[in-house]
Amino acid sequence: DGGITQSPKYLFRKEGQNVTLSCEQNLNHDAMYWYRQDPGQGLRLIYYSQIVNDFQKGDIAEGYSVSREKKESFPLTVTSAQKNPTAFYLCASSILVRNTEAFFGQGTRLTVV
Amino acid sequence: AQTVTQSQPEMSVQEAETVTLSCTYDTSESDYYLFWYKQPPSRQMILVIRQEAYKQQNATENRFSVNFQKAAKSFSLKISDSQLGDAAMYFCAYSGATNKLIFGTGTLLAVQP
């Protein structure tokens, strides 16, 4: 089945540690996105990529890093510089056609302990 | 920069009744697309309906319809014959020239039996 897979579903991190969230898609989509979801703030864009080896900062990129070495994969690293990393993270992908929908993974809940 | 505003943090509707969720947006672009996404308790994002800005006709998908007022930059979602399964968080989203999806803060819809 085609889809977008995020792993793990739940992740715990100690303060001061970097952690990487996985996002893989087999939909042959060019564009991939990372969003952060906090209560009352909706989904905020962290990074997005429309082509391999290229990515752009979103509205809240500070403390995060990404790579896009393969079309299928767009991992997100939450670094120790991110002051408040506890949140729900959603990965999405889409084709580069203007009115197309984005397909979302099931999310990763990151908790700093 | 484009913004999306959802002014109703929570709404409630009786089963079988009709409810309207509000969304306004701000943009200087003339060509863009608007979406409503549903996020049930599973947190999986599901596309409900989409609207192309150049189309005057309001989009309809079964019990879901929109009232798109381009001049007023308003994009409300009407849910008719509400069902228990409609209970979810609903997000309004905008996509313009950059292809990024920009989300509002969401409206939590409760459906009362």
Side-chain angles (χ1 to χ4, degrees):
Chain A
D1 286 337
I4 182 165
T5 302
Q6 289 186 243
S7 61
K9 189 171 182 179
Y10 299 96
L11 189 56
F12 296 87
R13 188 196 90 175
K14 291 184 179 179
E15 282 194 35
Q17 288 183 338
N18 292 354
V19 64
T20 297
L21 283 59
S22 171
C23 179
E24 303 277 335
Q25 54 98 359
N26 61 3
L27 300 167
N28 199 33
H29 287 172
D30 290 302
M32 297 188 74
Y33 311 83
W34 274 107
Y35 289 90
R36 170 176 171 144
Q37 184 175 10
D38 297 283
Q41 297 195 52
L43 277 70
R44 293 181 292 167
L45 183 64
I46 304 172
Y47 269 99
Y48 66 104
S49 168
Q50 297 186 344
I51 193 171
V52 174
N53 292 324
D54 187 50
F55 46 82
Q56 308 296 326
K57 291 183 179 180
D59 300 318
I60 55 165
E62 184 175 352
Y64 300 97
S65 66
V66 294
S67 63
R68 187 87 187 276
E69 297 177 1
K70 298 185 301 181
K71 188 176 184 178
E72 302 78 20
S73 179
F74 192 43
L76 174 74
T77 297
V78 184
T79 74
S80 56
Q82 169 52 234
K83 301 300 182 189
N84 185 20
T86 294
F88 186 68
Y89 291 87
L90 279 164
C91 180
S93 71
S94 70
I95 60 175
L96 285 174
V97 174
R98 293 287 300 282
N99 68 340
T100 189
E101 68 178 286
F103 291 80
F104 285 81
Q106 293 195 309
T108 294
R109 174 68 184 178
L110 173 64
T111 303
V112 174
V113 297
Chain B
Q2 295 80 26
T3 59
V4 177
T5 302
Q6 293 179 252
S7 58
Q8 306 156 315
E10 297 182 15
M11 292 282 285
S12 182
V13 63
Q14 291 291 129
E15 199 175 1
E17 297 294 309
T18 296
V19 65
T20 298
L21 308 184
S22 300
C23 173
T24 59
Y25 58 94
D26 190 27
T27 184
S28 58
E29 297 177 325
S30 58
D31 184 19
Y32 53 86
Y33 299 83
L34 298 164
F35 305 83
W36 279 98
Y37 279 85
K38 170 184 178 181
Q39 188 182 44
S42 68
R43 305 199 82 167
Q44 178 68 54
M45 296 285 282
I46 302 164
L47 178 68
V48 175
I49 199 166
R50 81 189 84 191
Q51 174 80 42
E52 292 88 347
Y54 64 86
K55 288 188 176 179
Q56 292 188 334
Q57 186 173 7
N58 289 324
T60 299
E61 290 285 344
N62 301 313
R63 298 183 294 106
F64 299 87
S65 61
V66 299
N67 184 5
F68 174 49
Q69 301 289 328
K70 190 172 184 179
K73 295 181 181 173
S74 171
F75 182 60
S76 61
L77 175 69
K78 185 171 82 172
I79 306 174
S80 303
D81 185 25
S82 296
Q83 301 175 358
L84 295 177
D86 295 333
M89 182 73 84
Y90 286 82
F91 291 100
C92 179
Y94 170 101
S95 177
T98 62
N99 254 22
K100 296 185 299 182
L101 265 178
I102 300 168
F103 287 87
T105 52
T107 296
L108 182 62
L109 178 66
V111 180
Q112 307 299 329

